[in-house]
Coordinates of all heavy atoms in Angstrom, one line a residue:
D1118 N -0.4 -18.6 7.1 CA 0.1 -18.2 8.4 C -0.7 -17.0 8.8 O -0.7 -16.0 8.2 CB 1.5 -18.0 8.3 CG 2.4 -19.2 7.9 OD1 2.0 -20.3 8.1 OD2 3.5 -19.0 7.3
I1119 N -1.1 -17.0 10.2 CA -1.7 -15.9 10.8 C -0.9 -15.6 12.2 O -0.7 -16.5 12.9 CB -3.2 -16.1 11.0 CG1 -3.8 -16.2 9.7 CG2 -3.8 -14.9 11.8 CD1 -5.4 -16.6 9.9
R1120 N -0.6 -14.4 12.3 CA 0.2 -14.0 13.6 C -1.1 -13.4 14.4 O -1.7 -12.5 14.1 CB 1.1 -12.9 13.2 CG 2.3 -13.2 12.5 CD 3.3 -13.9 13.5 NE 3.6 -13.0 14.6 CZ 4.9 -12.4 14.7 NH1 5.8 -12.5 13.8 NH2 5.0 -11.7 15.9
P1121 N -1.3 -13.9 15.5 CA -2.3 -13.5 16.5 C -2.2 -12.0 16.8 O -3.1 -11.4 17.1 CB -2.3 -14.2 17.7 CG -1.2 -15.3 17.5 CD -0.5 -15.0 16.2
D1122 N -1.0 -11.5 17.0 CA -0.9 -10.0 17.4 C -1.1 -9.1 16.2 O -1.3 -7.9 16.4 CB 0.5 -9.8 18.0 CG 1.7 -10.1 17.0 OD1 1.4 -11.1 16.2 OD2 2.6 -9.7 17.2
A1123 N -1.1 -9.5 14.9 CA -1.4 -8.8 13.9 C -2.5 -9.1 13.1 O -3.1 -8.4 12.3 CB -0.2 -8.6 13.0
D1124 N -3.0 -10.4 13.1 CA -4.0 -11.0 12.4 C -4.0 -10.7 10.9 O -4.9 -10.3 10.2 CB -5.3 -10.5 12.9 CG -6.6 -11.4 12.6 OD1 -6.2 -12.5 12.2 OD2 -7.7 -10.9 12.8
L1125 N -2.8 -11.1 10.3 CA -2.5 -11.0 8.9 C -2.5 -12.4 8.3 O -2.3 -13.4 9.0 CB -1.1 -10.5 8.6 CG -1.0 -9.0 8.8 CD1 0.1 -8.6 9.7 CD2 -0.7 -8.3 7.4
A1126 N -3.0 -12.5 7.1 CA -3.1 -13.8 6.4 C -2.5 -13.7 5.1 O -2.8 -12.6 4.4 CB -4.5 -14.3 6.3
L1127 N -1.7 -14.6 4.6 CA -1.2 -14.7 3.2 C -1.7 -16.0 2.5 O -1.5 -17.0 3.2 CB 0.3 -14.7 3.2 CG 1.1 -14.6 1.9 CD1 0.9 -13.3 1.2 CD2 2.5 -15.1 2.0
F1128 N -2.5 -15.9 1.5 CA -3.0 -17.1 0.9 C -3.2 -16.9 -0.7 O -3.1 -15.7 -1.1 CB -4.4 -17.3 1.5 CG -5.4 -16.1 1.3 CD1 -6.3 -16.2 0.3 CD2 -5.3 -15.1 2.2 CE1 -7.2 -15.0 0.1 CE2 -6.2 -14.1 2.1 CZ -7.1 -13.9 1.0
P1129 N -3.4 -17.9 -1.5 CA -3.1 -19.4 -1.0 C -1.7 -19.6 -1.0 O -0.8 -18.8 -1.6 CB -3.7 -20.1 -2.3 CG -3.6 -19.2 -3.4 CD -3.7 -17.8 -2.8
N1130 N -1.3 -20.4 -0.2 CA 0.2 -20.8 0.1 C 0.3 -22.4 0.2 O -0.2 -22.8 1.2 CB 0.6 -20.1 1.3 CG 2.1 -20.0 1.4 OD1 2.8 -20.6 0.6 ND2 2.6 -19.6 2.6
P1131 N 0.8 -22.9 -0.7 CA 1.5 -22.5 -1.9 C 0.6 -22.0 -3.0 O -0.6 -22.2 -3.1 CB 2.3 -23.7 -2.3 CG 1.5 -24.8 -1.9 CD 0.8 -24.4 -0.6
T1132 N 1.3 -21.3 -4.0 CA 0.5 -20.8 -5.1 C 1.4 -21.0 -6.3 O 2.5 -21.3 -6.2 CB 0.2 -19.3 -4.9 OG1 -0.5 -18.6 -6.1 CG2 1.5 -18.4 -4.9
T1133 N 0.7 -20.8 -7.6 CA 1.5 -20.7 -8.8 C 1.8 -19.4 -9.3 O 2.4 -19.2 -10.4 CB 0.6 -21.5 -9.8 OG1 -0.6 -20.9 -10.0 CG2 0.5 -23.0 -9.6
G1134 N 1.4 -18.3 -8.6 CA 1.8 -17.0 -9.0 C 1.3 -15.8 -8.2 O 2.0 -14.9 -7.8
V1135 N -0.1 -15.8 -7.8 CA -0.6 -14.7 -7.1 C -1.0 -15.1 -5.8 O -1.7 -16.0 -5.5 CB -1.8 -14.1 -7.9 CG1 -2.6 -13.0 -7.2 CG2 -1.5 -13.8 -9.3
F1136 N -0.4 -14.4 -4.9 CA -0.9 -14.4 -3.4 C -1.8 -13.3 -3.1 O -1.8 -12.1 -3.7 CB 0.4 -14.2 -2.5 CG 1.4 -15.3 -2.6 CD1 2.5 -15.2 -3.3 CD2 1.2 -16.5 -1.8 CE1 3.4 -16.2 -3.4 CE2 2.3 -17.4 -1.8 CZ 3.3 -17.3 -2.5
S1137 N -2.6 -13.3 -2.0 CA -3.3 -12.3 -1.4 C -3.0 -12.1 0.0 O -2.7 -13.1 0.8 CB -4.9 -12.5 -1.5 OG -5.2 -12.5 -2.8
L1138 N -2.9 -10.9 0.4 CA -2.6 -10.5 1.8 C -3.8 -9.8 2.3 O -4.4 -8.9 1.8 CB -1.4 -9.6 1.8 CG -0.9 -9.0 3.2 CD1 -0.5 -10.4 4.1 CD2 0.2 -8.1 3.1
T1139 N -4.3 -10.1 3.5 CA -5.4 -9.5 4.2 C -5.0 -9.2 5.6 O -4.0 -10.0 6.1 CB -6.6 -10.2 4.1 OG1 -6.7 -11.6 4.8 CG2 -7.2 -10.4 2.7
A1140 N -5.6 -8.3 6.3 CA -5.4 -8.1 7.7 C -6.6 -7.5 8.3 O -7.5 -6.9 7.8 CB -4.3 -7.1 7.8
R1141 N -6.6 -7.6 9.8 CA -7.6 -7.0 10.5 C -6.8 -6.0 11.5 O -6.6 -6.3 12.6 CB -8.4 -7.9 11.4 CG -9.3 -8.8 10.7 CD -10.1 -9.6 11.5 NE -10.8 -10.6 10.7 CZ -11.4 -11.7 11.1 NH1 -11.2 -12.1 12.4 NH2 -11.8 -12.6 10.3
L1142 N -6.5 -4.8 10.8 CA -5.7 -3.8 11.4 C -6.4 -2.4 11.2 O -7.0 -2.3 10.2 CB -4.2 -3.8 10.9 CG -3.4 -4.9 11.1 CD1 -2.1 -4.8 10.3 CD2 -3.1 -5.2 12.5
P1143 N -6.1 -1.4 12.2 CA -6.3 -0.1 11.7 C -5.6 0.3 10.5 O -4.6 -0.3 10.3 CB -5.9 0.6 12.9 CG -5.5 -0.4 14.0 CD -5.3 -1.7 13.4
Q1144 N -6.1 1.3 9.9 CA -5.6 1.9 8.6 C -4.1 2.3 8.9 O -3.9 2.9 10.1 CB -6.3 3.0 8.1 CG -6.7 2.9 6.7 CD -7.6 3.9 6.3 OE1 -7.8 5.0 7.0 NE2 -8.2 3.8 5.1
G1145 N -3.2 1.9 8.1 CA -1.8 2.4 8.3 C -1.0 2.3 7.0 O -1.4 1.6 6.1
N1146 N 0.1 3.0 7.0 CA 1.1 2.9 5.9 C 1.8 1.7 6.0 O 2.4 1.3 7.0 CB 2.1 4.1 6.0 CG 1.3 5.4 5.8 OD1 0.4 5.6 5.0 ND2 1.7 6.5 6.5
T1147 N 1.7 0.8 4.8 CA 2.1 -0.5 4.9 C 3.2 -0.8 3.8 O 2.9 -0.4 2.7 CB 1.0 -1.5 4.9 OG1 0.1 -1.2 5.8 CG2 1.4 -3.0 5.0
E1148 N 4.2 -1.5 4.1 CA 5.2 -1.8 3.1 C 5.5 -3.3 3.1 O 5.4 -4.0 4.1 CB 6.5 -1.1 3.4 CG 6.5 0.5 3.5 CD 7.8 0.9 3.8 OE1 8.7 0.3 4.3 OE2 8.0 2.2 3.7
L1149 N 5.7 -3.9 1.9 CA 5.9 -5.2 1.7 C 7.1 -5.4 0.8 O 7.4 -4.7 0.0 CB 4.6 -5.7 0.8 CG 4.7 -7.2 0.6 CD1 3.3 -7.8 1.0 CD2 4.8 -7.5 -1.0
E1150 N 7.9 -6.3 1.4 CA 9.2 -6.8 0.7 C 9.2 -8.3 0.5 O 8.8 -9.0 1.6 CB 10.3 -6.4 1.4 CG 10.5 -4.9 1.5 CD 11.8 -4.4 2.4 OE1 12.1 -5.1 3.3 OE2 12.2 -3.4 2.2
I1151 N 9.6 -8.9 -0.6 CA 9.8 -10.3 -0.7 C 11.2 -10.7 -1.2 O 11.8 -10.0 -1.9 CB 8.8 -10.8 -1.9 CG1 7.2 -10.5 -1.4 CG2 9.0 -12.3 -2.0 CD1 6.2 -10.8 -2.4
Y1152 N 11.7 -11.5 -0.4 CA 13.1 -12.1 -0.5 C 13.2 -13.4 -1.0 O 12.5 -14.2 -0.8 CB 13.8 -11.9 0.8 CG 13.9 -10.6 1.4 CD1 12.7 -10.1 2.2 CD2 14.9 -9.7 1.3 CE1 12.8 -9.0 2.9 CE2 15.0 -8.5 1.9 CZ 13.9 -8.1 2.6 OH 13.9 -6.8 3.2
D1153 N 14.2 -13.7 -1.9 CA 14.4 -15.1 -2.3 C 15.3 -15.8 -1.2 O 15.6 -15.1 -0.2 CB 15.1 -15.3 -3.7 CG 16.5 -14.6 -3.8 OD1 17.1 -14.2 -2.8 OD2 16.9 -14.3 -5.0
T1154 N 15.7 -17.0 -1.5 CA 16.4 -17.9 -0.4 C 17.9 -17.4 -0.1 O 18.4 -17.7 0.8 CB 16.3 -19.3 -0.7 OG1 16.8 -19.4 -2.0 CG2 15.0 -19.9 -0.6
V1155 N 18.4 -16.5 -1.1 CA 19.7 -16.1 -0.7 C 19.8 -14.6 -0.2 O 20.6 -14.0 -0.1 CB 20.6 -16.0 -2.2 CG1 20.9 -17.4 -2.3 CG2 20.0 -15.3 -3.2
G1156 N 18.5 -14.0 0.0 CA 18.3 -12.7 0.7 C 18.2 -11.6 -0.3 O 18.2 -10.3 0.1
R1157 N 18.1 -11.8 -1.6 CA 17.8 -10.8 -2.6 C 16.3 -10.2 -2.5 O 15.5 -11.1 -2.5 CB 18.1 -11.2 -3.9 CG 19.6 -11.4 -4.2 CD 19.9 -11.8 -5.6 NE 19.1 -13.1 -5.8 CZ 19.7 -14.1 -6.6 NH1 20.8 -14.0 -7.2 NH2 19.0 -15.3 -6.6
V1158 N 16.1 -8.9 -2.5 CA 14.8 -8.4 -2.7 C 14.3 -8.7 -4.1 O 15.0 -8.1 -5.1 CB 14.6 -6.9 -2.2 CG1 13.4 -6.4 -2.6 CG2 15.2 -6.7 -1.0
V1159 N 13.1 -9.4 -4.3 CA 12.6 -9.6 -5.6 C 11.4 -8.8 -5.9 O 10.9 -8.8 -7.1 CB 12.4 -11.1 -5.8 CG1 13.7 -11.9 -5.8 CG2 11.5 -11.8 -4.9
Y1160 N 10.8 -8.3 -4.8 CA 9.4 -7.6 -5.1 C 9.4 -6.6 -3.9 O 9.6 -6.9 -2.7 CB 8.4 -8.5 -4.9 CG 6.9 -7.9 -5.2 CD1 6.4 -7.9 -6.5 CD2 6.2 -7.6 -4.1 CE1 5.1 -7.4 -6.8 CE2 4.9 -7.0 -4.4 CZ 4.4 -7.0 -5.7 OH 3.2 -6.4 -5.8
T1161 N 8.9 -5.3 -4.2 CA 8.7 -4.3 -3.1 C 7.4 -3.7 -3.5 O 7.1 -3.5 -4.7 CB 9.8 -3.3 -2.8 OG1 9.9 -2.7 -4.1 CG2 11.0 -3.9 -2.4
A1162 N 6.6 -3.4 -2.6 CA 5.3 -2.5 -2.8 C 4.9 -1.8 -1.6 O 5.2 -2.2 -0.4 CB 4.2 -3.4 -3.2
A1163 N 4.2 -0.7 -1.6 CA 3.7 0.0 -0.6 C 2.3 0.4 -0.8 O 1.9 0.7 -1.9 CB 4.7 1.3 -0.2
Q1164 N 1.5 0.6 0.3 CA 0.2 1.1 0.3 C 0.0 1.9 1.3 O -0.1 1.6 2.5 CB -0.9 -0.1 0.4 CG -0.8 -1.0 -0.8 CD -2.3 -1.4 -1.1 OE1 -3.3 -0.8 -0.8 NE2 -2.2 -2.4 -2.1
P1165 N -0.2 3.3 1.0 CA -0.5 4.3 2.1 C -1.9 4.1 2.6 O -2.7 3.8 1.9 CB -0.3 5.6 1.4 CG 0.1 5.3 0.1 CD 0.1 3.9 -0.3
N1166 N -2.1 4.2 3.8 CA -3.4 4.1 4.5 C -4.1 2.7 4.2 O -5.3 2.7 4.0 CB -4.2 5.3 4.1 CG -3.7 6.6 4.7 OD1 -3.2 6.6 5.8 ND2 -3.6 7.5 3.8
W1167 N -3.3 1.7 4.1 CA -3.9 0.4 3.8 C -4.9 0.0 4.9 O -4.6 0.0 6.0 CB -2.8 -0.7 3.7 CG -3.3 -2.1 3.3 CD1 -4.2 -2.4 2.3 CD2 -3.1 -3.3 3.8 NE1 -4.4 -3.7 2.3 CE2 -3.7 -4.3 3.2 CE3 -2.2 -3.6 4.9 CZ2 -3.5 -5.7 3.5 CZ3 -2.2 -4.8 5.4 CH2 -2.8 -6.0 4.5
D1168 N -6.1 -0.4 4.6 CA -7.1 -0.8 5.5 C -7.3 -2.2 5.8 O -8.2 -2.7 6.4 CB -8.5 -0.2 5.1 CG -9.0 -0.8 3.7 OD1 -8.3 -1.7 3.2 OD2 -10.0 -0.2 3.3
G1169 N -6.3 -3.1 5.2 CA -6.4 -4.5 5.5 C -7.2 -5.3 4.3 O -7.3 -6.5 4.4
S1170 N -7.7 -4.5 3.4 CA -8.7 -5.3 2.4 C -7.5 -6.1 1.5 O -6.3 -5.7 1.5 CB -9.3 -4.3 1.6 OG -8.6 -3.3 0.9
R1171 N -8.1 -6.9 0.7 CA -7.2 -7.8 -0.1 C -6.3 -7.1 -0.9 O -6.6 -6.1 -1.7 CB -8.1 -8.7 -1.1 CG -7.4 -9.7 -1.8 CD -8.2 -10.5 -2.6 NE -9.0 -11.4 -1.8 CZ -9.3 -12.7 -2.1 NH1 -8.9 -13.1 -3.3 NH2 -9.9 -13.3 -1.2
W1172 N -4.9 -7.4 -0.9 CA -3.9 -6.8 -1.6 C -3.2 -8.0 -2.4 O -2.7 -8.9 -1.8 CB -2.8 -6.3 -0.6 CG -1.7 -5.7 -1.0 CD1 -1.3 -5.5 -2.3 CD2 -0.7 -5.0 -0.4 NE1 0.0 -4.8 -2.6 CE2 0.2 -4.4 -1.2 CE3 -0.5 -4.7 1.0 CZ2 1.3 -3.7 -0.8 CZ3 0.6 -3.8 1.4 CH2 1.5 -3.3 0.6
E1173 N -3.4 -8.0 -3.5 CA -2.9 -9.0 -4.5 C -1.3 -8.9 -4.8 O -0.9 -7.6 -5.3 CB -3.6 -9.2 -5.8 CG -5.0 -9.7 -5.4 CD -5.7 -10.1 -6.8 OE1 -5.3 -9.9 -7.8 OE2 -6.6 -10.8 -6.6
I1174 N -0.5 -9.9 -4.8 CA 0.9 -9.7 -4.9 C 1.2 -10.8 -6.1 O 1.0 -12.0 -5.9 CB 1.7 -10.2 -3.7 CG1 1.4 -9.1 -2.6 CG2 3.1 -10.2 -4.0 CD1 1.1 -9.9 -1.4
D1175 N 1.5 -10.4 -7.2 CA 1.8 -11.3 -8.3 C 3.3 -11.5 -8.6 O 4.1 -10.7 -8.9 CB 1.3 -10.5 -9.6 CG 1.2 -11.5 -10.9 OD1 1.7 -12.6 -10.7 OD2 0.7 -11.1 -11.8
L1176 N 3.6 -12.9 -8.3 CA 5.0 -13.4 -8.5 C 5.1 -14.2 -9.7 O 6.0 -15.0 -9.9 CB 5.5 -14.1 -7.3 CG 5.6 -13.3 -5.9 CD1 6.1 -14.2 -4.8 CD2 6.6 -12.1 -6.1
S1177 N 4.1 -14.1 -10.6 CA 4.2 -14.9 -11.9 C 5.5 -14.6 -12.6 O 5.9 -13.4 -12.7 CB 2.9 -14.5 -12.8 OG 1.7 -14.9 -12.2
G1178 N 6.1 -15.7 -13.2 CA 7.3 -15.5 -13.9 C 8.5 -15.6 -13.0 O 9.7 -15.7 -13.5
R1179 N 8.3 -15.7 -11.7 CA 9.6 -15.8 -10.9 C 9.7 -17.5 -10.8 O 9.0 -18.2 -11.1 CB 9.3 -15.4 -9.5 CG 8.9 -13.9 -9.3 CD 10.2 -13.2 -9.3 NE 9.9 -11.8 -9.2 CZ 10.8 -10.9 -9.5 NH1 12.0 -11.2 -9.8 NH2 10.5 -9.6 -9.6
M1180 N 11.0 -17.7 -10.3 CA 11.4 -19.1 -10.3 C 10.6 -19.8 -9.0 O 10.4 -19.1 -8.0 CB 12.9 -19.2 -10.0 CG 13.8 -18.9 -11.1 SD 13.7 -19.9 -12.6 CE 14.3 -21.4 -11.9
P1181 N 10.2 -21.0 -9.3 CA 9.5 -21.7 -8.1 C 10.5 -21.9 -7.0 O 11.7 -22.0 -7.3 CB 9.1 -23.1 -8.8 CG 9.0 -22.8 -10.2 CD 10.2 -21.7 -10.5
G1182 N 9.9 -21.8 -5.7 CA 10.8 -21.9 -4.6 C 10.1 -21.3 -3.4 O 9.1 -20.9 -3.4
I1183 N 11.0 -21.2 -2.4 CA 10.5 -20.5 -1.1 C 11.0 -19.0 -1.1 O 12.0 -18.7 -1.4 CB 11.1 -21.3 0.1 CG1 10.8 -22.7 0.0 CG2 10.7 -20.6 1.4 CD1 9.2 -23.0 0.3
Y1184 N 10.1 -18.2 -0.7 CA 10.3 -16.8 -0.6 C 9.8 -16.3 0.9 O 9.0 -16.9 1.5 CB 9.4 -16.1 -1.6 CG 10.0 -16.3 -2.9 CD1 9.5 -17.4 -3.7 CD2 10.8 -15.5 -3.5 CE1 9.9 -17.6 -5.1 CE2 11.2 -15.6 -4.8 CZ 10.8 -16.7 -5.6 OH 11.2 -16.9 -6.8
L1185 N 10.6 -15.4 1.3 CA 10.1 -14.6 2.5 C 9.4 -13.4 2.3 O 9.9 -12.6 1.5 CB 11.3 -14.5 3.6 CG 12.0 -15.7 4.0 CD1 13.2 -15.3 4.8 CD2 11.0 -16.5 4.7
V1186 N 8.3 -13.2 2.9 CA 7.4 -12.1 2.6 C 7.4 -11.2 4.0 O 7.0 -11.8 5.0 CB 5.9 -12.4 2.3 CG1 5.1 -11.2 2.1 CG2 6.0 -13.4 1.1
R1187 N 8.0 -10.1 4.0 CA 8.0 -9.2 5.1 C 7.0 -8.1 5.0 O 7.0 -7.3 4.0 CB 9.4 -8.5 5.2 CG 9.5 -7.7 6.4 CD 11.0 -7.0 6.4 NE 11.3 -6.2 7.5 CZ 10.9 -5.0 7.6 NH1 10.1 -4.4 6.6 NH2 11.0 -4.2 8.7
V1188 N 6.2 -7.9 6.0 CA 5.1 -6.9 6.0 C 5.5 -5.9 7.3 O 5.5 -6.5 8.4 CB 3.6 -7.6 6.2 CG1 2.6 -6.4 6.1 CG2 3.4 -8.5 5.0
G1189 N 5.5 -4.7 7.0 CA 5.8 -3.7 7.9 C 4.7 -2.7 7.8 O 4.3 -2.4 6.7
S1190 N 4.4 -2.0 9.0 CA 3.3 -1.0 9.0 C 3.6 -0.2 10.2 O 4.2 -0.6 11.2 CB 1.9 -1.6 9.0 OG 1.0 -0.6 9.0
D1191 N 3.1 1.0 10.2 CA 3.2 2.0 11.2 C 2.1 1.6 12.3 O 2.1 2.1 13.4 CB 3.1 3.4 10.9 CG 1.9 3.8 10.0 OD1 0.9 3.0 9.8 OD2 1.8 5.0 9.6
V1192 N 1.3 0.6 12.1 CA 0.3 0.1 13.1 C 0.6 -1.1 13.7 O 0.0 -1.7 14.5 CB -1.2 0.1 12.6 CG1 -1.7 1.5 12.1 CG2 -1.3 -0.7 11.4
L1193 N 1.8 -1.7 13.3 CA 2.3 -3.0 13.9 C 3.5 -2.7 14.7 O 4.3 -1.8 14.5 CB 2.9 -3.9 12.7 CG 1.9 -4.6 11.7 CD1 2.5 -5.2 10.5 CD2 0.9 -5.5 12.4
E1194 N 3.5 -3.4 15.8 CA 4.7 -3.3 16.7 C 6.0 -3.6 16.1 O 7.0 -3.1 16.3 CB 4.4 -4.1 18.1 CG 3.5 -3.6 18.9 CD 3.2 -4.5 20.2 OE1 4.3 -5.0 20.7 OE2 2.1 -4.4 20.7
K1195 N 5.9 -4.8 15.3 CA 7.1 -5.2 14.7 C 6.7 -5.9 13.2 O 5.5 -6.3 13.1 CB 7.9 -6.2 15.4 CG 7.2 -7.3 15.7 CD 7.9 -8.4 16.8 CE 7.1 -9.6 17.2 NZ 7.6 -10.4 18.1
P1196 N 7.6 -5.9 12.2 CA 7.2 -6.6 11.0 C 6.7 -8.0 11.2 O 7.2 -8.7 12.1 CB 8.6 -6.5 10.2 CG 9.4 -5.5 10.9 CD 9.0 -5.5 12.3
V1197 N 6.0 -8.4 10.3 CA 5.5 -9.9 10.3 C 6.2 -10.4 9.1 O 6.2 -9.9 7.9 CB 3.9 -10.0 10.1 CG1 3.5 -11.3 10.1 CG2 3.3 -9.3 11.4
I1198 N 6.7 -11.7 9.3 CA 7.3 -12.5 8.2 C 6.5 -13.7 7.9 O 6.3 -14.5 8.8 CB 8.8 -12.8 8.5 CG1 9.5 -11.4 9.0 CG2 9.4 -13.5 7.4 CD1 10.8 -11.1 8.5
F1199 N 6.4 -13.9 6.7 CA 5.7 -15.3 6.2 C 6.7 -15.9 5.3 O 7.4 -15.4 4.5 CB 4.5 -15.0 5.4 CG 3.3 -14.3 6.1 CD1 3.2 -12.9 6.0 CD2 2.4 -15.1 6.7 CE1 2.2 -12.4 6.5 CE2 1.3 -14.4 7.3 CZ 1.2 -13.0 7.3
K1200 N 6.6 -17.3 5.3 CA 7.3 -18.2 4.3 C 6.2 -18.6 3.3 O 5.2 -19.0 3.7 CB 7.9 -19.4 5.1 CG 8.8 -20.2 4.2 CD 9.6 -21.1 5.0 CE 9.1 -22.5 5.1 NZ 10.1 -23.3 5.8
A1201 N 6.6 -18.2 2.1 CA 5.6 -18.4 1.0 C 6.3 -19.4 0.0 O 7.5 -19.2 -0.3 CB 5.2 -17.2 0.4
Q1202 N 5.4 -20.3 -0.7 CA 6.0 -21.2 -1.6 C 5.4 -21.0 -3.0 O 4.1 -20.9 -3.1 CB 5.7 -22.7 -1.2 CG 6.2 -23.6 -2.2 CD 6.1 -25.0 -1.6 OE1 5.6 -25.4 -0.5 NE2 6.4 -26.0 -2.5
L1203 N 6.3 -20.8 -3.9 CA 5.8 -20.5 -5.3 C 6.1 -21.8 -6.0 O 7.2 -22.3 -6.1 CB 6.6 -19.3 -5.8 CG 6.2 -19.0 -7.4 CD1 4.7 -18.5 -7.3 CD2 7.2 -17.7 -7.8
Q1204 N 5.1 -22.4 -6.7 CA 5.1 -23.6 -7.4 C 5.0 -23.3 -8.8 O 4.5 -22.3 -9.4 CB 3.9 -24.6 -7.0 CG 4.0 -25.0 -5.6 CD 2.8 -25.9 -5.2 OE1 1.7 -25.8 -5.8 NE2 2.9 -26.7 -4.3
A1205 N 5.6 -24.4 -9.6 CA 5.6 -24.2 -11.2 C 4.0 -24.4 -11.5 O 3.4 -25.1 -10.9 CB 6.4 -25.3 -11.8
E1206 N 3.7 -23.8 -12.7 CA 2.4 -23.9 -13.1 C 2.1 -25.2 -13.8 O 3.0 -25.8 -14.4 CB 2.2 -22.7 -14.1 CG 2.1 -21.4 -13.4 CD 1.7 -20.4 -14.4 OE1 0.7 -20.6 -15.2 OE2 2.1 -19.2 -14.3

């Protein structure tokens, strides 16, 4: 999924464990949160001055299913949300 106003990409989707996040944005403080289908936070991370280069997110060992990935940054007008699918290996 790519949002035209933010030009972020989350791939591969679906995956068996490791996602990558990339962006074409100015450098900014970026936070990432991943939620399961009942709204529990299962992963958080932050990158100060992230320049949009590949950011690997490892969900290996998590239960297969659908997760919501929320990306917020001080260079985005609003957070971007992706629906990500984690498959069994």
Side-chain angles (χ1 to χ4, degrees):
D1118 295 333
I1119 297 176
R1120 291 280 305 256
D1122 57 332
D1124 205 12
L1125 282 127
L1127 182 74
F1128 60 92
N1130 193 5
T1132 185
T1133 56
V1135 178
F1136 292 97
S1137 292
L1138 179 70
T1139 61
R1141 290 188 193 155
L1142 293 171
Q1144 235 177 9
N1146 297 318
T1147 305
E1148 296 178 350
L1149 179 124
E1150 295 174 332
I1151 300 179
Y1152 300 86
D1153 64 14
T1154 55
V1155 294
R1157 291 180 296 216
V1158 176
V1159 298
Y1160 183 93
T1161 61
Q1164 291 222 11
N1166 298 313
W1167 184 51
D1168 63 2
S1170 59
R1171 185 178 289 217
W1172 184 353
E1173 288 196 351
I1174 303 141
D1175 189 355
L1176 294 183
S1177 299
R1179 299 274 177 201
M1180 292 294 294
I1183 301 295
Y1184 292 85
L1185 293 179
V1186 180
R1187 181 186 180 276
V1188 181
S1190 175
D1191 55 6
V1192 297
L1193 292 173
E1194 287 182 28
K1195 59 185 177 181
V1197 176
I1198 307 223
F1199 295 95
K1200 187 160 102 176
Q1202 183 177 354
L1203 184 62
Q1204 298 179 326
E1206 292 187 39

